[in-house]
Amino acid sequence: EEEDDEEEEEEEEEKEIPPVVVKEKDEEEDAEKQLPLVVAATPQQQAEGGADEMEEEEEEEEEEQGLFEWLAKKEKLPEEKANRLAAEWTTRYQEDQASAAAEMYTLLTKASGCKAKIYKPELMNSECAIIMKRIEDELRQGNVNPVDPMAGKGKLYRNFKDDLGLFMRAVVRETIDSRDLFDDTMFEMFREIFQTCSNSTARVMRVVATGMGLNVISGLVNACLSQSKQAALKQRQLDNALASKRKEAKVEAEAIKKTMDQCSKNTEACAGMIKEMFNGVFTGRFRDYDPQIRAGCMAAVSNWMLEYPFMFLTDFYLKYLGWSMNDKSSLVRLEVLKGLRRLYADGTKASIMDGFTNRFSARIKELLFDADPMVTCEAIFVVSQLREYETYDADTMNEVLHLLTEENESVRVTAAKVLPKMLPSLLEQYNKTRTSAYGKKKKPAAKKKAKAAKKPKRKANKKIRNEDDENSTEDEEEDEGEKRGNLFGDDEDNDEMEDEDFDTSLGVGELTASETLESVLELVKILSNTTHAKHLAVDDALETHSKIIDAVWDEMPLFHSFEFLAMKLSDEEFCSDIADAAALANLTLRAVKKSQMENIIADALAKSNVPTPAKMSMTKRDRETCDQSREKITLAFTTHLPTLLEKYSVEDEVLAPLLEIIPYMKLEHYPLRQRDGEYQALLETVKNILFKRVDSKVLNSAAKAIAFCANDGYEGTRNGAVKVFDSIAKHLGEKLSQLAKSAIVNRTVNVDEDEDEDDEFIVSEDNGDGFILKCALLRVTALLKYARLSKLEGEAVFEAMATLLDEVSRNVLRDGEKKLSKEVRVGPVSAVLLAEGVMYEMVWRGIDLSESESERVTDDDILSFQNTRDKSLTSLIRLAENVDKLFGKYGAKVVADTRRNCTAAVADAVLYLKMAGKMSISLPPNMMTAAWRAADKIMTPEDENLDADVNAAKIGYQLALVDAKCGDHSSGSIAAPAFISNFAIGGGHLGAPIKG
């Protein structure tokens, strides 16, 4: 049955096979007119004929393909391909040297992108330079490959450059093994071709010839290394043979000596060829016009130093690295530093390089501030290595510390990677300064670790909170809290055990977690008390904290443990210095924000009056991670935050960041654990802080916390927060109404009488009614910045502010024969706060109106808003324009700052209202024109020799951007043309709206 099946299959195959078409051409007739002769062929004949045709085609392809085509072919094992091609080329060289040399020259030519080919007769009858000129002419005439093989682009040439290097090194290895390289022909052929072509006027030829020449040197270096290893092996064999008493030992020793002599001769010959090729190729190309060639030379020589230090790690070769550190191309400087980094990683090589290091250490230090961030990153690693060899002192390492606040993220992260090496010195400095100031004595790290080792490990059923406890249920947490009094317990032994566990698990290197945190506090002190980083504002310490956390986030796990940070803030001994407490509170806040995937750098740099957190795009996994972090934040601060707010109740620098942590807590924990009383006590504490403190940062943080609880917090806790929020607004409305009445004093003066210029009244805003008014306005502005007041309380607050703003902006009103002068006792700071408060309330009303359903919005509502909007904007613009008359007696600086801030309020109002969705809410053209005039007045300096104010230019940027997006260009816009005319003095950062 099987035989029958096979026969049937063969018959079916014979039926399926089509007849073979054989074409017979007559030489005298045209091929197109020939008719094919159809001849039926058997399967065997067809198979034999097809095999013959395939063999002929393959032979033709092999004849057409050379080294270049074979190297361009992609194979799974590039090294095996290179070794195979090198062996085949060596065999062809042994058969015909001229043809093999022509192949090598053709490889160089085609790798340069030229389609030309060099043949044996031309190579034998022409000099290498003449052939190079012909290839250059071919390139100029356009006989080129559309894709540069050395660029690494496209599927065909993606790895060609690397494969070419492997091939050249394999050729050197094969020819050394076959002894062909040591004849008088091959190396001279290599040197002549590569040296001549590396001096070509065509850049592509220089690139390829230089690369092939450098790879020949690399192959010779590898040969020297292999010969040295073989010589060392033979030396051991010789020692054994000489020590042996066998009869054959002497004969073996003689044979080994001959082998060693041959190895020595081979090494000397290779070294001589290295020097010739180095002088012929490297010395001319390391200063080539093309930075890619120069960088390749530096990468090659640094590799040779690393692989064969016996020859290359000398001043003769090291000087090339030193000279190239001053190269104008960052690519070359980067390669030099990469090479030095690998060399300094070996202590033996570093000791050999002492002379080089002493000569060029100053230049390496200067590269810390290179224009290219990648060069700076490599310089940081090199400087850190040299610090271990005591080349640089502590002052130099402070330069690296300042790079933690650099604008470029890669520089900050790199500086953070070497920071652990500098922590011990920072800790030593911390202990010196704190001990001298407060008499504190720190426990050495060894004692702490020994004490922690003696402590018994906690049992698994202990539910003490740490970073790994995420799976315990809420009931377990509540029961445990009842047993121990709170989430963390009140037992002192428990706390001490927890502290020791944190110290051993969260430390960096040999330092405990507490010592690491002390070192970071010393780092903050160094960076905050310096003007080294020119981009840092004098009072912008928050930006420093943000950049530190952003840099060390992956290097220091202690900032992921909010319980540990909260415990340290509560530690009396640890935070005895208020500056340390403030720094730790700010670092904790930034760590909280970082755990929620916020871009803390962009948030710190935001200068707008209504900041919006800049969040990165998050995946589902990121959201889960953020939720877990919020859980840990809540568990840590539900217990510690009330105590911390009470402890630092008079320390504004600590209160502000602590209050900002509240919006990141899960407020539902309070009602779910039946702790509503604690939640209400927390709200009352925040309310008391809002009324007792006057620092703007504290007020903003407190207002933000209460607004979050009242509007965005957990639904079950909003009612209590809304009551607290409304009570604050009601109290401030009543206070502002009283202060507005007392601030306006009417005076009647005869028209003929001149006012006494010395009778001008200057309002003191540091005490008295002026101080009280300023504080009230600070609190109102802080609330309005984050939430709209309820309709009843908001109307009272807005009415008082709008009335007072209108009176301040008006100077004199005439009444018949009398001049009624209203002396408005409002200082410049209060005037700015009035402008901001009115702007916020107006914008909130416009937003509510635009977001309301159209059926519920009546014409009266729109008309009322438009009247309020126009009246408020008119008062704002009038105040900005009359600042000189109103506050000239306070000094030129106060006038300039007041005008800028008032105009900023105008610009913000325009920004929101112009972008509103409904045309009824948007601004009319005449109001836009008036707003621009106010902004243009501060953008253009009165003195032509002075530069424009950067903050003023940013105001112009806001207006021009709005006008470009929403302006009525058919009727003619006012902001954009005037803005462009001010571009020359406005600053380069205004290019975005111009391009838009």
Side-chain angles (χ1 to χ4, degrees):
E1 291 177 358
E2 292 178 358
E3 291 177 357
D4 293 339
D5 293 339
E6 291 177 359
E7 290 177 359
E8 290 177 1
E9 290 177 0
E10 289 178 358
E11 290 177 0
E12 290 178 359
E13 289 177 358
E14 290 178 0
K15 291 178 182 179
E16 293 176 356
I17 296 173
V20 178
V21 179
V22 181
K23 292 184 180 181
E24 296 183 38
K25 290 187 179 181
D26 190 351
E27 296 178 356
E28 298 178 357
E29 296 181 0
D30 188 76
E32 296 179 355
K33 298 179 181 179
Q34 294 295 324
L35 295 176
L37 297 177
V38 180
V39 179
T42 63
Q44 185 177 359
Q45 291 174 341
Q46 186 183 12
E48 292 175 356
D52 294 339
E53 290 177 2
M54 291 294 294
E55 289 178 1
E56 291 176 359
E57 291 177 0
E58 289 178 358
E59 289 177 0
E60 291 177 358
E61 289 180 0
E62 288 179 359
E63 289 178 0
E64 293 178 358
Q65 289 184 346
L67 288 174
F68 175 78
E69 288 77 18
W70 282 108
L71 279 174
K73 283 187 176 181
K74 186 177 181 181
E75 295 186 10
K76 292 183 178 179
L77 300 174
E79 292 185 1
E80 289 187 3
K81 177 180 70 173
N83 294 335
R84 184 184 72 251
L85 294 177
E88 293 173 357
W89 182 85
T90 303
T91 302
R92 291 195 295 273
Y93 175 82
Q94 293 170 351
E95 296 173 356
D96 190 346
Q97 296 182 356
S99 297
E103 282 188 65
M104 190 63 68
Y105 212 145
T106 302
L107 172 62
L108 189 154
T109 302
K110 291 190 175 183
S112 303
C114 184
K115 295 181 179 180
K117 187 176 180 181
I118 288 83
Y119 295 93
K120 174 182 175 181
E122 182 183 13
L123 188 63
M124 295 180 67
N125 299 325
S126 303
E127 294 182 357
C128 189
I130 297 175
I131 300 175
M132 182 187 70
K133 293 295 182 184
R134 182 177 74 82
I135 301 303
E136 292 175 354
D137 293 338
E138 294 274 357
L139 290 171
R140 294 188 185 96
Q141 293 171 7
N143 186 19
V144 296
N145 194 326
V147 180
D148 183 7
M150 300 296 287
K153 296 180 181 178
K155 294 182 179 179
L156 186 60
Y157 303 120
R158 183 171 298 171
N159 301 317
F160 178 79
K161 185 177 180 180
D162 297 333
D163 292 346
L164 180 60
L166 290 174
F167 171 73
M168 293 307 302
R169 291 193 288 273
V171 165
V172 174
R173 185 169 56 252
E174 287 289 337
T175 52
I176 288 178
D177 294 340
S178 64
R179 307 295 300 170
D180 292 318
L181 189 63
F182 300 110
D183 61 16
D184 297 332
T185 307
M186 178 176 286
F187 179 74
E188 285 301 319
M189 178 263 293
F190 282 156
R191 187 188 61 78
E192 183 180 7
I193 293 177
F194 300 144
Q195 181 177 347
T196 303
C197 294
S198 65
N199 293 316
S200 172
T201 56
R203 173 194 167 275
V204 287
M205 288 197 72
R206 295 202 313 275
V207 171
V208 177
T210 304
M212 295 176 74
L214 296 177
N215 278 295
V216 168
I217 299 178
S218 298
L220 292 170
V221 168
N222 292 334
C224 290
L225 291 174
S226 63
Q227 293 294 323
S228 299
K229 291 179 181 178
Q230 187 177 1
L233 176 62
K234 293 300 178 182
Q235 182 63 50
R236 291 195 296 271
Q237 293 176 356
L238 178 62
D239 294 339
N240 294 332
L242 293 176
S244 176
K245 297 180 180 180
R246 293 181 295 109
K247 296 180 180 180
E248 300 84 0
K250 292 183 179 180
V251 179
E252 293 176 357
E254 292 297 328
I256 292 173
K257 287 181 180 180
K258 290 181 180 180
T259 305
M260 292 179 63
D261 293 339
Q262 188 62 44
C263 290
S264 178
K265 291 179 181 179
N266 292 344
T267 303
E268 291 178 4
C270 289
M273 288 187 280
I274 288 173
K275 291 180 181 179
E276 288 188 38
M277 189 66 75
F278 185 89
N279 295 330
V281 177
F282 183 92
T283 53
R285 294 304 100 211
F286 88 96
R287 58 181 68 186
D288 192 277
Y289 179 79
D290 185 9
Q292 182 181 353
I293 296 176
R294 301 198 302 271
C297 291
M298 292 304 106
V301 74
S302 59
N303 286 331
W304 303 333
M305 292 175 182
L306 191 68
E307 295 173 359
Y308 196 26
F310 176 77
M311 179 177 181
F312 285 96
L313 208 59
T314 60
D315 292 341
F316 177 81
Y317 295 100
L318 285 169
K319 66 184 178 184
Y320 294 105
L321 293 180
W323 293 343
S324 297
M325 279 193 283
N326 296 299
D327 195 282
K328 61 183 178 181
S329 173
S330 60
L331 185 63
V332 180
R333 301 194 298 272
L334 180 62
E335 287 296 337
V336 173
L337 289 174
K338 284 182 177 179
L340 290 177
R341 180 183 173 187
R342 291 185 297 165
L343 291 170
Y344 283 128
D346 188 342
T348 304
K349 294 183 178 65
S351 60
I352 298 174
M353 298 168 61
D354 282 342
F356 169 84
T357 304
N358 294 332
R359 181 179 176 185
F360 293 101
S361 59
R363 178 55 185 157
I364 296 174
K365 179 180 174 182
E366 291 174 358
L367 292 176
L368 288 173
F369 310 102
D370 194 90
D372 189 340
M374 298 304 296
V375 176
T376 301
C377 293
E378 287 297 325
I380 290 172
F381 285 121
V382 175
V383 170
S384 175
Q385 289 173 325
L386 291 177
R387 171 58 178 165
E388 296 180 4
Y389 303 132
E390 298 182 354
T391 303
Y392 295 120
D393 54 9
D395 293 337
T396 302
M397 299 313 296
N398 285 339
E399 305 285 348
V400 177
L401 295 178
H402 290 109
L403 294 176
L404 288 167
T405 60
E406 189 64 32
E407 293 294 336
N408 187 275
E409 182 181 1
S410 60
V411 174
R412 295 197 305 270
V413 173
T414 305
K417 288 180 179 179
V418 303
L419 181 61
K421 297 180 181 179
M422 296 179 277
L423 290 179
S425 60
L426 288 172
L427 178 63
E428 183 180 356
Q429 183 65 24
Y430 174 90
N431 290 330
K432 286 181 180 179
T433 55
R434 302 320 189 270
T435 303
S436 60
Y438 305 101
K440 287 170 55 177
K441 292 184 179 179
K442 299 292 180 182
K443 295 180 180 179
K447 292 183 178 180
K448 284 189 175 183
K449 289 185 177 181
K451 185 176 180 180
K454 293 180 181 179
K455 286 281 183 179
K457 294 184 178 179
R458 282 183 287 181
K459 296 180 181 179
N461 59 358
K462 288 273 186 178
K463 299 291 182 180
I464 300 176
R465 289 286 160 210
N466 55 35
E467 291 296 315
D468 298 325
D469 279 340
E470 298 177 3
N471 300 322
S472 58
T473 61
E474 294 175 356
D475 295 337
E476 290 173 343
E477 294 168 358
E478 185 176 354
D479 294 342
E480 185 189 338
E482 291 176 357
K483 291 178 183 179
R484 299 191 314 196
N486 53 47
L487 289 175
F488 301 97
D490 296 326
D491 186 52
E492 293 182 0
D493 295 335
N494 237 356
D495 291 342
E496 187 177 356
M497 185 186 299
E498 228 175 58
D499 195 7
E500 296 294 346
D501 288 347
F502 280 130
D503 273 340
T504 54
S505 61
L506 301 178
V508 176
E510 297 182 356
L511 301 182
T512 64
S514 298
E515 291 171 337
T516 303
L517 189 56
E518 290 169 353
S519 304
V520 175
L521 293 180
E522 182 64 24
L523 171 64
V524 173
K525 181 180 178 181
I526 292 173
L527 297 181
S528 301
N529 297 336
T530 182
T531 56
H532 173 81
K534 60 182 180 181
H535 61 273
L536 288 178
V538 176
D539 58 345
D540 199 2
L542 195 58
E543 183 181 352
T544 301
H545 300 136
S546 299
K547 290 183 176 179
I548 290 175
I549 291 296
D550 186 68
V552 305
W553 184 251
D554 296 329
E555 304 295 329
M556 295 187 178
L558 65 91
F559 287 109
H560 298 241
S561 175
F562 304 107
E563 180 183 347
F564 173 73
L565 297 174
M567 289 169 57
K568 286 302 176 183
L569 278 168
S570 303
D571 191 341
E572 292 285 348
E573 181 183 3
F574 191 86
C575 292
S576 58
D577 185 1
I578 296 301
D580 288 344
L584 181 54
N586 277 294
L587 291 172
T588 303
L589 172 62
R590 301 331 251 176
V592 167
K593 290 186 175 184
K594 184 70 175 178
S595 70
Q596 298 303 302
M597 302 289 182
E598 289 191 19
N599 189 346
I600 58 178
I601 303 298
D603 190 21
L605 295 175
K607 305 298 181 186
S608 58
N609 289 329
V610 188
T612 55
K615 284 204 172 187
M616 305 178 227
S617 58
M618 292 194 297
T619 62
K620 180 180 178 181
R621 184 176 181 180
D622 292 336
R623 288 191 292 270
E624 292 175 353
T625 303
C626 290
D627 188 68
Q628 294 174 1
S629 297
R630 285 193 66 191
E631 188 75 24
K632 296 172 184 177
I633 293 167
T634 305
L635 293 174
F637 286 99
T638 46
T639 300
H640 291 281
L641 189 58
T643 306
L644 293 174
L645 293 178
E646 182 180 356
K647 177 182 178 181
Y648 300 107
S649 59
V650 295
E651 305 297 341
D652 295 336
E653 297 84 357
V654 186
L655 276 180
L658 288 177
L659 290 169
E660 283 196 54
I661 296 176
I662 294 177
Y664 296 93
M665 296 169 59
K666 286 188 172 182
L667 301 181
E668 57 267 28
H669 278 230
Y670 287 100
L672 292 177
R673 295 175 180 173
Q674 298 180 359
R675 296 183 177 181
D676 300 275
E678 295 181 11
Y679 178 67
Q680 289 299 323
L682 178 63
L683 291 176
E684 289 297 326
T685 302
V686 177
K687 177 182 175 180
N688 293 334
I689 291 173
L690 185 68
F691 281 112
K692 290 181 180 180
R693 310 309 303 167
V694 295
D695 182 76
S696 59
K697 291 182 179 179
V698 175
L699 296 180
N700 286 333
S701 300
K704 183 178 180 180
I706 293 179
F708 171 80
C709 296
N711 298 317
D712 303 321
Y714 180 61
E715 187 176 358
T717 60
R718 286 181 191 169
N719 292 334
V722 169
K723 292 179 181 179
V724 175
F725 189 83
D726 289 343
S727 65
I728 294 173
K730 182 179 180 180
H731 177 79
L732 290 175
E734 295 172 354
K735 192 72 174 177
L736 276 178
S737 300
Q738 298 174 2
L739 294 172
K741 294 178 182 178
S742 62
I744 302 174
V745 179
N746 295 328
R747 290 194 305 163
T748 304
V749 184
N750 291 330
V751 177
D752 297 333
E753 297 179 0
D754 295 332
E755 292 186 4
D756 187 2
E757 295 181 358
D758 297 334
D759 195 31
E760 293 180 344
F761 184 80
I762 296 180
V763 178
S764 174
E765 295 184 291
D766 296 330
N767 51 54
D769 292 340
F771 176 74
I772 297 174
L773 177 62
K774 183 183 75 171
C775 295
L777 291 172
L778 279 170
R779 296 181 179 108
V780 170
T781 305
L783 287 176
L784 290 172
K785 193 177 291 185
Y786 298 103
R788 189 192 173 185
L789 306 181
S790 59
K791 190 170 183 180
L792 182 62
E793 286 79 7
E795 190 65 35
V797 171
F798 181 74
E799 186 66 28
M801 289 193 301
T803 302
L804 197 54
L805 176 66
D806 184 66
E807 295 295 341
V808 171
S809 63
R810 299 175 184 273
N811 187 18
V812 173
L813 292 176
R814 291 189 175 275
D815 185 11
E817 297 180 355
K818 303 289 186 180
K819 185 169 69 172
L820 180 62
S821 175
K822 290 191 175 182
E823 184 181 18
V824 183
R825 297 182 177 178
V826 175
V829 177
S830 298
V832 171
L833 293 171
L834 279 172
E836 293 181 358
V838 170
M839 182 271 296
Y840 284 131
E841 180 62 24
M842 182 174 54
V843 169
W844 279 119
R845 294 187 178 192
I847 292 174
D848 288 348
L849 194 61
S850 63
E851 293 178 353
S852 301
E853 298 179 1
S854 57
E855 296 81 4
R856 297 185 179 182
V857 179
T858 62
D859 295 338
D860 293 338
D861 294 335
I862 296 176
L863 183 62
S864 174
F865 173 77
Q866 288 177 343
N867 292 334
T868 303
R869 176 200 67 193
D870 295 345
K871 183 179 178 181
S872 301
L873 271 178
T874 302
S875 299
L876 285 171
I877 294 171
R878 186 168 56 237
L879 176 63
E881 291 177 342
N882 296 327
V883 167
D884 288 333
K885 299 177 182 178
L886 295 172
F887 304 110
K889 53 195 172 184
Y890 291 89
K893 186 177 183 304
V894 173
V895 170
D897 293 340
T898 306
R899 181 191 290 115
R900 183 194 306 115
N901 292 326
C902 292
T903 310
V906 175
D908 285 332
V910 170
L911 181 65
Y912 279 99
L913 298 178
K914 190 71 177 177
M915 299 288 282
K918 293 186 178 181
M919 293 304 296
S920 58
I921 299 175
S922 186
L923 288 174
N926 62 334
M927 195 62 69
M928 184 70 190
T929 303
W932 173 257
R933 282 201 303 265
D936 183 56
K937 190 173 182 180
I938 63 170
M939 283 182 64
T940 308
E942 297 178 358
D943 187 352
E944 295 182 355
N945 297 323
L946 297 178
D947 294 330
D949 191 332
V950 176
N951 293 323
K954 290 180 181 178
I955 296 170
Y957 164 81
Q958 289 177 311
L959 292 175
L961 186 61
V962 173
D963 183 73
K965 295 289 185 184
C966 310
D968 184 9
H969 301 287
S970 60
S971 60
S973 61
I974 187 67
F979 173 77
I980 293 173
S981 67
N982 283 274
F983 178 72
I985 59 173
H989 67 283
L990 302 180
I994 296 294
K995 294 177 182 178

